[in-house]
Amino acid sequence: MFRIGRIFMGILFLSFGWAHVQAQRQIEVRNANSLEFNDRYSGAQRLIGDVIFEHEGTLLYCDSAYLYDLTNRLEAYSNIRIVSDSATITGDRLFYDGKTRIADISGKEVKLTDPGTRLLTDRLLYDTGKNTASYSNGARIESSKNRNELVSKKGQYLAKEKAFYFQGKVRITSPEYTLYSDSLKYSTGTETAWFYGPTQLLSKPDSIYCERGFYNLKSGHSKFEQNASVHSGVRSVHAEEIQYNQKTGEGLALRKVRIVDSTEHVVVAGNRVRYNELSGSMVVSDSALLEQKFSGDTLSLH
C-alpha cells in the first residue's frame, strides 16, 4: 500500500510538472533580416534588422537581439518598442524574461505612452502579464490634454485601470497651480488625483493643505480632509472636510469649521459653511458663532 501511494504521488508530481512546462510559452521570432548562432553567448541566436518577437500576445520590436531558447529570455538593443493592449513603451535596451514575463527597459529616455499621457524615465520594469509598469529612479509624466506635468521619485502604472501611483516628492505643475504631495494616485481616464499623505496645493494667492482628498482636473471639483485648511489672502478656513469647485468658486466646509479674517479681526465658527468665492457671500449654520474685536473688546454673536 505504501509503494502504491509513492507511485501515485510520483505520477501526480510528473503530471503537475508537465502541466507547468506546457503552460510556459516560448518567445517566438516573428521577423528578422538575418539570424546566426553565437557560441560565445551560450548558444544564443543573434537576430539583426527589423527584429520582432511575440510572447503571450505582447509584441517586442528592436534593431538587434540575442535570444536564449534554453532559458526563454532575450536581450535586445536599439529602437526598443513594446506594444501591449493599451500602452506603448520605447527605449534603448531591453532584458526580457519569458518565465516571469517582466521586461526591463532602460535608456537615455524611456517612454511609456498611454492615450493622452506620456511617462519619461531612464529605467522601467514592465510586467506584460499584469500590464503594470514601475520605476524607482524618478520620472516625469506629461499630459497632452491639460498641459500638466507630474514628477515623482517612485511610481507604478496599472494599464487596466489607466491609473498611476506615485510616491516620494510628488509634484504636479500646471498653468493654474502647483501641487506637492507625499503619495498620490492619478487616473488618466477620469483625470482625477487622489492624495494619501501630506499635500499642499498652491494657486496664487491661495493655498490648500490636507492629508487626504481628491482633485478632479477636468471638472475642477475637489475634496480635502484630515487637517484641511484653505488660505486666501487675509482669510483662512480650517475644517474636517472642505469641498471646492475651482470653476464655479463655490465651496462647502463641514464639521468644526473655523474661518479667520485677520484684517477685520473676525472669527466665524460652525459645523456647516457654504460660501461663494466669486460673490464673496457666506452662510454659516449648525452652532454658528461670530466673534469680532473692537478696541480691546470682543463682540460674540451666537
Side-chain angles (χ1 to χ4, degrees), residues 226-237:
Q226 295 184 7
N227 297 318
S229 63
V230 176
H231 300 271
S232 179
V234 298
R235 181 178 295 174
S236 63
V237 180

Side-chain angles (χ1 to χ4, degrees), residues 98-116:
K99 295 179 182 179
T100 62
R101 297 182 66 180
I102 293 178
D104 186 343
I105 310 102
S106 58
K108 187 176 180 181
E109 190 174 66
V110 179
K111 297 179 184 179
L112 185 151
T113 305
D114 174 86

Side-chain angles (χ1 to χ4, degrees), residues 125-245:
L125 296 179
Y126 185 67
D127 190 325
T128 63
K130 298 178 181 178
N131 277 340
T132 60
S134 61
Y135 62 88
S136 58
N137 294 338
R140 184 174 82 253
I141 294 89
E142 300 173 346
S143 174
S144 60
K145 297 179 181 178
N146 45 37
R147 296 183 297 163
N148 289 337
E149 180 182 279
L150 185 148
V151 296
S152 71
K153 183 65 178 176
K154 298 179 181 179
Q156 187 179 25
Y157 172 70
L158 282 66
K160 293 182 180 179
E161 297 181 20
K162 292 186 178 296
F164 289 91
Y165 290 86
F166 305 103
Q167 288 181 314
K169 297 181 179 179
V170 184
R171 185 184 78 242
I172 298 179
T173 305
S174 82
E176 293 82 21
Y177 66 89
T178 302
L179 184 146
Y180 300 91
S181 183
D182 178 68
S183 182
L184 185 145
K185 173 189 174 183
Y186 178 69
S187 171
T188 61
T190 61
E191 297 185 45
T192 303
W194 287 267
F195 325 124
Y196 300 101
T199 302
Q200 188 174 29
L201 192 151
L202 303 177
S203 178
K204 293 182 179 180
D206 305 329
S207 67
I208 299 172
Y209 176 85
C210 74
E211 294 169 9
R212 189 177 185 87
F214 73 85
Y215 177 66
N216 187 294
L217 283 69
K218 191 174 183 179
S219 66
H221 181 66
S222 56
K223 182 167 77 170
F224 309 100
E225 298 176 289
Q226 295 184 7
N227 297 318
S229 63
V230 176
H231 300 271
S232 179
V234 298
R235 181 178 295 174
S236 63
V237 180
H238 302 262
E240 290 188 359
E241 179 182 328
I242 299 174
Q243 298 180 29
Y244 178 67
N245 190 304

